[in-house]
Structures are given as structure tokens and as C-alpha cells.
């Protein structure tokens, strides 16, 4: 399985193949310690880098939105817009 994944693992987005859509997995915006969740930040940073490098045309964000007042996808959208 590692050999199949190798073309899709790189620290430089420009080295990755182009694809029309990338799935950005959901994460809580606020971590358990009360500050920004590093996984949320890292995922959005990586997604924005892929988009800016022209590797993906669309970003599909996922996440929990099962209760009032908690909406990961909307927070992720806002975070991506902030990143340009």
C-alpha cells in the first residue's frame, strides 16, 4: 500500500499530481486546551497550499455539524477564505 500512496505524499505541493477535488477532513477549530486546534490549522494550511499551487481546483470540506452552535465545515470554509 505504501507504494501506491507514494506519488501522493510530498512536502512540496508542486510535486503532487493535479486532481479536480481534494477532501479536507474535519477537525474541531478549538483544541482541548482551549486554543486553536493544530490539526485544524495544519489541514487548512495544507489545503490552501494545494489550491494556491494549482494542484486542486476545488476543496471539499467535511466535519461535524450535528448540533446547534457547532459547525466544523463552516469554520473550515472561513479559515480557507482567510488563507486566500
Amino acid at each position: 500500500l505504501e507504494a501506491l500512496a507514494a506519488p501522493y505524499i510530498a512536502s512540496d505541493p508542486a510535486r503532487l499530481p493535479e486532481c479536480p477535488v481534494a477532501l479536507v477532513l474535519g477537525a474541531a477549530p478549538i483544541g482541548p486546551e482551549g486554543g486553536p486546534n493544530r490539526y485544524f490549522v495544519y489541514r487548512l494550511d495544507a489545503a490552501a497550499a494545494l489550491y494556491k499551487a494549482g494542484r486542486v481546483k476545488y476543496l471539499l470540506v467535511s466535519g461535524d455539524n450535528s448540533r446547534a452552535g457547532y459547525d466544523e465545515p463552516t469554520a473550515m470554509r472561513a479559515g480557507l477564505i482567510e488563507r486566500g
Side-chain angles (χ1 to χ4, degrees):
L1 292 176
E2 287 181 35
L4 295 173
Y8 303 99
I9 300 172
S11 58
D12 178 7
R15 295 181 56 208
L16 294 171
E18 290 183 24
C19 64
V21 179
L23 172 63
V24 186
L25 299 177
I30 305 300
E33 67 285 344
N37 182 346
R38 64 181 168 185
Y39 299 105
F40 179 86
V41 172
Y42 295 160
R43 289 175 188 180
L44 296 188
D45 288 347
L50 288 170
Y51 182 80
K52 289 177 181 179
R55 307 324 290 170
V56 297
K57 190 171 184 178
Y58 300 100
L59 297 168
L60 176 63
V61 297
S62 67
D64 186 4
N65 182 23
S66 62
R67 60 190 185 276
Y70 188 78
D71 186 351
E72 290 177 6
T74 298
M76 294 175 77
R77 181 180 187 272
L80 288 166
I81 290 170
E82 287 175 7
R83 287 163 173 78

